[in-house]
Amino acid sequence: MVLPVVAIVGRPNVGKSTLFNRIAGERIAIVEDKPGITRDRIYAQGEWTGKRFHLIDTGGLEFGGEDAFIDHVRHQVELAVDEADVIIFVVDGREGLLPSDEEVATWLHRSDKPVVLAVNKADNRRRREEMYEFYSLGFDEVIPISALHGTGTGDLLDAVVSRFPEGEEELYDEDTIRVSVIGRPNAGKSSLINAILGQERVIVSPIPGTTRDAVDTPLHRDGQDFVLVDTAGIRKRGKVYETTEKYSVLRALRAIERSDVALIVLDGERGIAEQDKRIAGYAHEAGCASIFVVNKWDAVEKDEKTMDRFRREIMNAFSFMNYAPVLFVSAKTGQRVHKILPAVQEVAEQHAMRVSTSVLNQVLMDAMLTTPPPSERGKRLRIRYGTQVSVKPPTIVLFVNDPELAHFSYLRYLENRIREAFGFRGTPLNIRLRKGD
Ligand code: GDP
Ligand code: GDP
């Protein structure tokens, strides 16, 4: 599902990051508990009245280069206007209306994106009464808040979610494999896409009318429809923020949400970076199937051990994604590029695979016989039965006597046994526990 994007803009020190943390707070903490996955503090998922959304604190983006703060704010607004469905414009009620607020308002009025004005630091009634001057900025919704104390943020979020666009229609049929090509700037994503499209066996269809400004590329190969979903690499508009690493994470996130399979492009020349782990972590969490594509293999000095070494490095760095196959390619020379789409097709099939309940239970029983669940203070986990409840990604529910008794390591063991039996290559596997008899 495509989540709406909410961006927070405003000049420095008005309280953007305080508001971000207030809205996102608890969810960030929960997500950071997962091993191997770190959250970027400027992106989070928020939820209000059952509606989920992405939240971006544009103040946390570093653009580098320019010194004037107003340029910095302008880039934030540009990004928000391009990427967000709703913009929260934060001003400081204590300081009152400043010329730079008016400047930001002018930029925002040039776009047709819905804007909700949050007059922050309205910590007491007197301050809340002083907010009327901000109506002169020309926004319909002016909401006094205190990000620090959490007052008014409910009204703010009501106004924000009421402006979400209607759910977007799914453009492609169930059998079309949606692929995103993600990775750091300069890993070679656009070169790879061009290399894939340049292959003679691929037929690129004309781009249908898409919603938003997505530039999806539908293609056809050996009887299978694919679509390369909108990513940073496809269209380079040359905007300042597009070269920032954090922006590339946002684009990756948005593309991943719309994909069945993520091609995680690593730069074979530069090696694995922290940012790669973050991007891969998003694909894993989103339940996409994944393939690691080590690009620029032509430029890597190598002997017969280099590939194995790189593969081991990947397995170490992305230990939570050991299910993902690894391809070594060169967009430049075309080496092994023809292996990408067949690999995509293979992992997409695994991602959509359904296993029979009876065979699954046979596998679970065998696994428990070989290695019984460890006992905990005299109590032992008992798995009554398991069943696959959904696909994309495959999700298995185990009905157990007491979910609290299940250790991470035992679940890991069961997952390995399930994979040995069925494959599920390239796809994450969700195993959920439910109390049941
Ligand atoms: P940003 O630069 O826009 O992200 O601003 P910050 O979130 O870093 O906040 C700037 C300062 O304003 C910090 O010292 C915050 O503690 C303070 N601040 C933020 N929200 C409020 C608020 O609602 N009331 C008061 N009194 N201070 C606030
Ligand atoms: P993107 O930002 O991830 O889309 O990366 P680009 O496709 O724009 O490529 C970044 C740079 O890497 C460009 O200078 C490319 O020419 C170069 N590049 C891309 N693929 C390869 C490759 O397979 N081998 C080599 N040697 N260079 C590559």
Side-chain angles (χ1 to χ4, degrees):
M1 196 183 61
V2 184
L3 298 186
V5 176
V6 177
I8 304 176
V9 302
R11 57 187 174 75
N13 281 316
V14 293
K16 293 185 297 302
S17 60
T18 309
L19 178 62
F20 174 86
N21 288 328
R22 166 74 49 191
I23 297 175
E26 284 168 47
R27 283 195 72 94
I28 294 187
I30 292 167
V31 173
E32 275 176 354
D33 277 349
K34 289 193 190 168
I37 297 166
T38 43
R39 265 294 182 216
D40 217 309
R41 279 210 346 279
I42 73 166
Y43 303 115
Q45 256 182 39
E47 185 172 334
W48 184 248
T49 58
K51 298 199 172 87
R52 288 193 303 139
F53 54 89
H54 285 302
L55 187 64
I56 325 171
D57 173 11
T58 63
L61 284 165
E62 290 126 38
F63 300 106
E66 80 279 347
D67 35 20
F69 94 87
I70 199 69
D71 285 339
H72 194 87
V73 180
R74 190 167 50 81
H75 293 319
Q76 291 170 20
V77 172
E78 218 171 75
L79 181 139
V81 165
D82 280 354
E83 295 293 336
D85 297 294
V86 180
I87 298 169
I88 302 176
F89 174 23
V90 185
V91 294
D92 185 332
R94 225 165 32 175
E95 283 200 59
L97 186 59
L98 298 188
S100 50
D101 294 328
E102 288 169 346
E103 200 154 355
V104 171
T106 312
W107 297 327
L108 289 172
H109 281 305
R110 276 188 209 137
S111 83
D112 53 7
K113 287 287 161 82
V115 175
V116 179
L117 181 64
V119 183
N120 191 29
K121 310 195 187 178
D123 299 340
N124 58 44
R125 179 187 291 179
R126 187 177 55 77
R127 292 226 181 95
R128 280 195 288 278
E129 281 164 2
E130 282 167 2
M131 66 170 221
Y132 293 103
E133 61 173 323
F134 291 102
Y135 276 101
S136 70
L137 291 175
F139 298 104
D140 298 337
E141 291 277 3
V142 181
I143 295 169
I145 64 163
S146 168
L148 201 58
H149 301 116
T151 50
T153 48
D155 292 342
L156 176 68
L157 290 171
D158 281 342
V160 166
V161 301
S162 74
R163 280 165 174 71
F164 283 166
E166 295 293 308
E168 284 181 28
E169 266 176 61
E170 187 45 73
L171 288 167
Y172 310 105
D173 67 38
E174 191 55 10
D175 299 332
T176 299
I177 302 173
R178 298 166 304 163
V179 190
S180 54
V181 183
I182 59 177
R184 280 188 290 157
N186 284 317
K189 297 180 294 300
S190 20
S191 307
L192 261 176
I193 289 167
N194 288 334
I196 293 170
L197 298 182
Q199 284 182 359
E200 50 195 313
R201 295 176 68 202
V202 170
I203 300 155
V204 180
S205 323
I207 297 167
T210 54
T211 55
R212 278 193 222 248
D213 55 353
V215 278
D216 293 350
T217 310
L219 49 108
H220 190 82
R221 184 191 172 280
D222 281 355
Q224 173 67 52
D225 287 319
F226 299 86
V227 59
L228 297 176
V229 308
D230 183 22
T231 68
I234 296 176
R235 173 187 41 178
K236 292 222 162 122
R237 288 166 297 184
K239 290 196 177 158
V240 178
Y241 58 75
E242 293 197 344
T243 57
T244 67
E245 296 257 338
K246 282 180 176 164
Y247 174 77
S248 73
V249 174
L250 173 70
R251 291 312 292 247
L253 247 171
R254 305 278 308 281
I256 286 165
E257 265 178 8
R258 305 179 49 230
S259 310
D260 303 304
V261 181
L263 294 174
I264 301 166
V265 183
L266 303 173
D267 186 330
E269 231 183 337
R270 285 187 299 171
I272 300 163
E274 207 43 50
Q275 200 75 0
D276 293 322
K277 292 189 203 171
R278 197 163 286 168
I279 289 173
Y282 284 125
H284 173 75
E285 266 188 72
C288 268
S290 289
I291 297 171
F292 289 108
V293 181
V294 182
N295 188 33
K296 309 195 186 178
W297 202 241
D298 62 285
V300 176
E301 244 186 81
K302 44 193 172 292
D303 56 36
E304 68 282 0
K305 295 207 178 92
T306 315
M307 205 178 264
D308 278 339
R309 210 178 310 124
F310 212 111
R311 205 186 293 275
R312 267 200 307 278
E313 273 175 40
I314 290 175
M315 290 303 138
N316 284 331
F318 307 95
S319 56
F320 55 102
M321 293 178 73
N322 282 352
Y323 52 80
V326 184
L327 292 175
F328 296 85
V329 309
S330 165
K332 190 175 172 184
T333 67
Q335 187 187 18
R336 281 189 290 271
V337 168
H338 65 277
K339 299 209 171 198
I340 295 176
L341 288 181
V344 166
Q345 192 164 352
E346 189 203 327
V347 300
E349 278 162 16
Q350 303 278 305
H351 191 233
M353 180 167 70
R354 246 177 227 288
V355 300
S356 88
T357 300
S358 61
V359 183
L360 175 64
N361 282 285
Q362 196 59 54
V363 171
L364 290 170
M365 293 311 139
D366 284 351
M368 286 189 293
L369 277 178
T370 317
T371 309
S375 71
E376 164 112 344
R377 278 176 269 110
K379 289 178 82 186
R380 196 186 288 279
L381 178 75
R382 267 182 226 295
I383 301 173
R384 317 275 187 215
Y385 75 103
T387 186
Q388 183 177 353
V389 293
S390 59
V391 295
K392 298 185 177 184
T395 303
I396 288 169
V397 171
L398 302 180
F399 290 88
V400 301
N401 56 338
D402 180 358
E404 298 286 314
L405 294 172
H407 283 272
F408 175 74
S409 57
Y410 197 72
L411 291 178
R412 192 71 192 243
Y413 161 73
L414 289 179
E415 175 176 342
N416 288 339
R417 295 300 300 266
I418 293 170
R419 286 184 186 280
E420 274 165 34
F422 300 107
F424 288 124
R425 189 168 144 81
T427 173
L429 195 57
N430 280 343
I431 298 182
R432 302 212 179 116
L433 299 172
R434 213 166 283 163
K435 194 173 164 62
D437 296 306

